[in-house]
């Protein structure tokens, strides 16, 4: 099962220290993700991608606007949404299998069945045989596979991924990108995939939403008319891919903010080329 | 303490990690361990040897420091006439009662304090003050309030054990990876189950560190309390022997105290290691 996500005029402000005006991390964000669609969200560091995902995840509430999943407004975290983080967030004292089972422990599934379902999902992510290993005995790629299995096991309607492959080496990342597409194809989930890599966004998304900072906004949404089979293999040499890639790059350039004097202290604005140039 | 059902099962040693080592390598490892053991016991052996020969050769006054052999003879006598056991069991009973009471109180209180942030911010400074007030400095207070009977001795052990466990429980809960909590919430768990499934197991290693520290202070504080005022116990035995010039008996009592301390510590260290195995694994 999958459901669509709708964001309407979503804004998020954080109180700032010292009585200054609140800091607007997001302003006027509109986005419609159809059920079963794969949308990649690309933008420079600090533009509010994680903030947006926190809102959809139900961890924080928007200052303005509304967010619905499958037509229902969000009231908090819930099993209709599965999250995958860059840092895997696996429990180090649980085996791979037990970590996947964790995702089922808030459901009504009896224990015996939980185990069976967890095995099934570990198989889906290609980890059969690693069930009894602890996270520290797994490579980064394998850990992220466990995390993905955990977030899929309870059969959420949408999968929200925050730079899930950013901590992996290039080769592992490429493998997991392919795997993710295969899994998406098989499960038909709605996926929102956050990245700061242009290549990754174009490679994975059916559409690419481009975000810019200060305040965080979605400035363009591009269709990526690359069929599944063209995405597998050496898609980077595909002229269509190169064209789209350049288009996103230009969008990010255009919207690059002027050198801001009021940049928040914690996250200085970085030159865009470095942040999003290489995927 | 939490019931076993509440706690996550600690991980078992993983076969995958250890692997099946070829025999020569294992033999070499055993050899290395043996050599290490030898090296580590040499210092103790030399010390005991010195204890034996220094008084015998007149390097030190044997009336003040009798040779080890004499001490051991006295020890055997004390063991034979039942005095050693009656004093040891008196001490053990007090130490264990106080220790168990303290752990049973400090862990749940620590969990509560740590989980409710405002409570924690409110109480933490006061707890720091208490912890840094040496238990022995409060001995007179306990005596005044509770007399010199069992109650005051157990109370001071409880006091000495309570704070290390409490503060380690609080800091264990406080240092739980925020992302783990967040991801557990995303899996549909409410506050209580997040606590049970993530926070508590993550805090277990730190709690056990506190328990080990408490074990060490329980014996230390108790012996001191028994030396000041008691009619039984190893601390009493040592003081009694000293006041009656039963010098070998005095050393026999001291030796017993170190042996018990060592044993207790060894048990607690192994428990602690077991509880924090997954954490140790993270570092390599
Ligand atoms: N809890 C908070 N309080 C105050 N400011 C915040 C908070 N969370 C995020 N911000 C600010 O909001 C902005 C967006 O942050 P966010 O983490 O969403 O960026 P991001 O696009 O995910 O960046 P990255 O690619 O580096 O992960 C940043 O300027 C950040 O400093
Ligand atoms: Mg982020």
């Amino acid at each position: 099962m999958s459901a669509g996500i709708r964001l309407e005029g979503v804004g998020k402000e954080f109180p700032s220290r010292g009585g200054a005006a609140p800091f607007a991390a997001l302003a006027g964000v509109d986005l419609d993700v159809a059920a079963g669609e794969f949308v990649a969200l690309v933008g420079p560091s600090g533009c509010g991608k994680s903030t947006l995902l926190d809102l959809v995840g139900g961890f924080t509430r928007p200052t303005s606007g509304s967010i619905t999943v499958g037509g229902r407004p969000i009231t908090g975290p819930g099993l209709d949404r599965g999250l995958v983080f860059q840092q895997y967030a696996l429990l180090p004292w649980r085996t791979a299998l037990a970590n996947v089972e964790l995702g089922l422990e808030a459901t009504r599934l009896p224990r015996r069945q939980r185990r069976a379902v967890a095995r099934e999902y570990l198989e889906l992510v290609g980890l059969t045989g690693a069930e009894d290993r602890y996270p520290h005995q797994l490579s980064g790629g394998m850990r992220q596979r466990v995390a993905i299995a955990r977030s899929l096991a309870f059969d959420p309607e949408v999968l929200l991924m925050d730079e899930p492959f950013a901590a992996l080496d290039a080769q592992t990342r490429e493998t997991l990108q392919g795997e993710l597409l295969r899994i998406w194809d098989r499960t038909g989930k709605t996926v929102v995939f956050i990245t700061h890599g242009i290549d990754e966004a174009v490679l994975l998304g059916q559409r690419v939403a481009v975000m810019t900072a200060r305040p965080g906004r979605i400035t363009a949404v591009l269709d990526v008319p690359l069929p599944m089979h063209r995405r597998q293999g050496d898609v980077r040499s595909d002229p269509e891919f190169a064209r789209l890639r350049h288009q996103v790059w230009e969008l990010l350039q255009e919207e690059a903010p002027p050198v801001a004097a009021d940049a928040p202290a914690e996250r200085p604005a970085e030159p865009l080329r470095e942040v999003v140039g290489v995927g | 303490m939490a019931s076993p059902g509440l706690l996550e099962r600690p991980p078992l040693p993983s076969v995958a990690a250890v692997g099946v080592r070829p025999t020569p390598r294992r033999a070499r490892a055993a050899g290395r361990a043996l050599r290490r053991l030898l090296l580590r016991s040499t210092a103790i052996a030399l010390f005991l040897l010195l204890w034996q020969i220094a008084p015998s050769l007149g390097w030190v006054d044997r009336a003040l420091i009798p040779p080890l052999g004499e001490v051991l003879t006295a020890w055997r006598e004390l063991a034979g006439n039942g005095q050693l056991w009656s004093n040891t069991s008196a001490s053990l009973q007090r130490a264990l009662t106080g220790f168990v009471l303290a752990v049973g109180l400090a862990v749940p209180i620590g969990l509560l304090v740590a989980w409710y942030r405002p409570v924690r911010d409110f109480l933490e400074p006061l707890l720091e003050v208490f912890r840094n007030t040496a238990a022995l400095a409060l001995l007179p207070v306990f005596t005044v309030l509770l007399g010199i009977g069992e109650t005051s001795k157990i109370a001071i052990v409880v006091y000495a054990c309570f704070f290390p466990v409490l503060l380690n429980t609080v800091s264990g809960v406080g240092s739980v990876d925020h992302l783990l909590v967040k991801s557990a919430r995303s899996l549909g768990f409410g506050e209580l189950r997040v606590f049970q499934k993530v926070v508590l197991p993550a805090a277990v290693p730190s709690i056990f560190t506190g328990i080990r520290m408490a074990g060490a202070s329980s014996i230390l504080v108790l012996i001191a309390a028994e030396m000041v005022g008691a009619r039984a116990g190893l601390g009493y035995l040592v003081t009694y022997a000293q006041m009656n010039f039963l010098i070998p008996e005095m050393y026999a009592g001291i030796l017993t105290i170190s042996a018990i301390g060592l044993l207790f510590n060894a048990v607690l260290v192994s428990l602690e290691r077991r509880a924090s195995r997954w954490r140790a694994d993270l570092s390599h």
Side-chain angles (χ1 to χ4, degrees):
Chain A
M1 211 187 2
S2 63
I5 306 168
R6 166 166 289 177
L7 291 93
E8 276 175 321
V10 171
K12 177 72 186 173
E13 293 181 348
F14 290 111
S16 46
R17 268 166 286 172
F23 171 70
L26 294 171
V29 173
D30 295 308
L31 182 66
D32 239 321
V33 183
E37 192 183 13
F38 196 131
V39 168
L41 193 65
V42 66
S45 182
C47 72
K49 303 184 296 292
S50 298
T51 305
L52 190 66
L53 213 72
D54 271 359
L55 290 170
V56 181
F59 293 106
T60 51
R61 288 173 179 277
T63 318
S64 56
S66 76
I67 308 172
T68 57
V69 170
R72 300 174 306 272
I74 288 167
T75 54
L79 289 176
D80 53 342
R81 286 149 288 153
L83 267 86
V84 178
F85 304 98
Q86 183 184 332
Q87 268 82 30
Y88 325 125
L90 301 176
L91 301 184
W93 55 87
R94 283 195 179 212
T95 61
L97 187 67
N99 262 292
V100 179
E101 277 180 62
L102 180 73
L104 294 161
E105 286 168 19
T107 65
R108 296 196 183 287
L109 218 58
R111 181 179 292 256
R112 180 89 50 82
Q113 257 167 292
R114 288 207 295 255
R115 180 139 300 192
V117 172
R119 272 184 207 287
E120 209 178 287
Y121 278 90
L122 275 182
E123 192 193 324
L124 177 71
V125 298
L127 277 186
T128 308
E131 290 94 343
D132 296 328
R133 297 220 213 151
Y134 288 92
H136 72 91
Q137 299 166 333
L138 301 171
S139 68
M142 291 163 99
R143 285 182 212 182
Q144 197 54 289
R145 285 168 194 259
V146 176
I148 292 172
R150 181 176 68 185
S151 290
L152 287 172
F154 54 88
D155 200 21
E157 294 166 22
V158 307
L159 196 57
L160 309 169
M161 310 180 87
D162 193 352
E163 305 197 24
F165 305 150
L168 304 175
D169 63 88
Q171 207 175 336
T172 311
R173 187 184 310 141
E174 218 168 290
T175 314
L176 262 85
Q177 286 166 343
E179 293 273 291
L180 180 63
L181 284 176
R182 179 181 62 79
I183 290 167
W184 169 65
D185 201 36
R186 259 185 72 176
T187 58
K189 300 282 174 212
T190 312
V191 180
V192 175
F193 187 103
I194 287 180
T195 175
H196 56 242
I198 300 178
D199 281 21
E200 189 168 59
V202 175
L203 176 74
L204 294 175
Q206 288 178 300
R207 288 193 296 154
V208 175
V210 180
M211 267 186 93
T212 53
R214 230 156 292 116
R217 286 174 301 138
I218 292 181
T219 45
V221 182
L222 256 79
D223 280 316
V224 181
L226 286 172
M228 265 292 275
H229 68 271
R230 295 240 317 262
R231 295 174 193 245
Q232 312 283 9
D234 190 16
V235 68
R236 282 169 182 81
S237 58
D238 191 309
E240 178 72 358
F241 180 86
R243 190 184 62 76
L244 287 158
R245 191 197 172 289
H246 184 69
Q247 207 176 340
V248 175
W249 183 82
E250 272 186 337
L251 279 165
L252 285 163
Q253 287 296 311
E254 272 169 34
E255 302 295 339
V259 181
D262 62 340
E266 318 92 293
R267 297 234 192 137
E270 294 170 66
L272 271 175
R273 248 168 299 108
E274 281 182 35
V275 182
V276 294
V278 277
Chain B
M1 248 319 293
S3 68
L6 196 60
L7 280 169
E8 297 284 277
R9 248 156 40 94
L12 297 166
S14 157
V15 181
V18 178
V20 183
R21 292 270 153 75
T23 326
R25 226 206 266 175
R26 195 188 282 177
R28 223 178 306 144
R32 224 179 304 132
L34 194 71
R35 241 197 326 261
R36 206 171 114 89
L37 190 73
L38 253 144
L39 181 71
R40 289 171 62 87
S41 42
T42 307
I44 294 179
L46 283 177
F47 170 73
L48 295 178
L49 191 68
L50 187 69
W51 189 353
Q52 177 60 33
I53 59 177
S56 311
L57 297 179
W59 297 350
V60 292
D61 186 349
R62 64 184 299 155
L64 301 180
I65 303 180
L68 179 63
E70 252 173 68
V71 173
L72 290 178
T73 310
W75 191 87
R76 240 171 280 129
E77 260 166 46
L78 283 172
N81 64 23
Q83 276 191 56
L84 189 68
W85 175 240
S86 67
N87 285 305
T88 304
S89 78
S91 288
L92 278 180
Q93 232 161 341
R94 290 167 185 151
L96 289 178
T97 310
F99 173 76
V100 169
L101 272 176
V103 172
L105 282 172
V107 172
I109 294 178
L111 293 176
L112 282 175
V113 167
W115 192 233
Y116 296 104
R117 192 62 203 238
V119 181
R120 172 177 168 189
D121 290 344
F122 177 69
L123 282 179
E124 215 161 27
L126 182 66
L127 295 176
E128 269 310 316
V129 172
F130 273 120
R131 184 183 60 158
N132 286 296
T133 306
L136 284 176
L138 289 169
L139 187 55
V141 179
F142 282 97
T143 317
V144 167
L145 290 177
L146 302 166
I148 61 158
E150 294 303 293
T151 326
S152 75
K153 279 178 202 65
I154 292 174
I156 198 159
V157 172
V158 171
Y159 182 92
C161 294
F162 184 78
F163 291 100
V165 179
L166 183 82
L167 289 160
N168 274 282
T169 304
V170 171
S171 83
V173 170
S175 60
V176 172
D177 183 355
H178 179 71
L179 187 65
L180 291 185
V181 173
K182 186 172 172 182
S183 97
R185 290 217 288 142
S186 84
L187 297 175
F189 296 116
E191 288 261 304
L192 200 65
R193 308 212 44 212
V194 168
F195 191 78
Q196 174 205 343
K197 285 180 189 293
V198 176
V199 178
L200 194 54
V204 161
S206 173
I207 294 175
F208 271 91
T209 302
I211 290 179
R212 176 180 49 76
M213 290 160 63
S217 30
S218 72
I219 296 195
L220 189 91
V221 167
L222 177 71
I223 299 296
E226 286 176 343
M227 290 178 127
V228 176
R231 271 172 309 268
L234 287 169
Y236 161 79
L237 178 71
V238 170
T239 324
Y240 174 86
Q242 181 232 336
M243 298 216 270
N244 293 282
F245 300 106
L246 301 167
I247 301 304
E249 282 77 2
M250 179 182 88
Y251 284 105
I254 294 172
L255 272 183
T256 313
I257 292 168
S258 350
I260 288 174
L262 275 173
L263 195 70
F264 197 29
N265 190 58
V267 169
L268 293 176
V269 164
S270 85
L271 270 179
E272 181 189 5
R273 217 172 266 156
R274 197 171 281 247
S276 43
R277 188 169 290 143
W278 60 263
R279 193 159 71 172
D281 284 339
L282 294 182
S283 53
H284 56 243

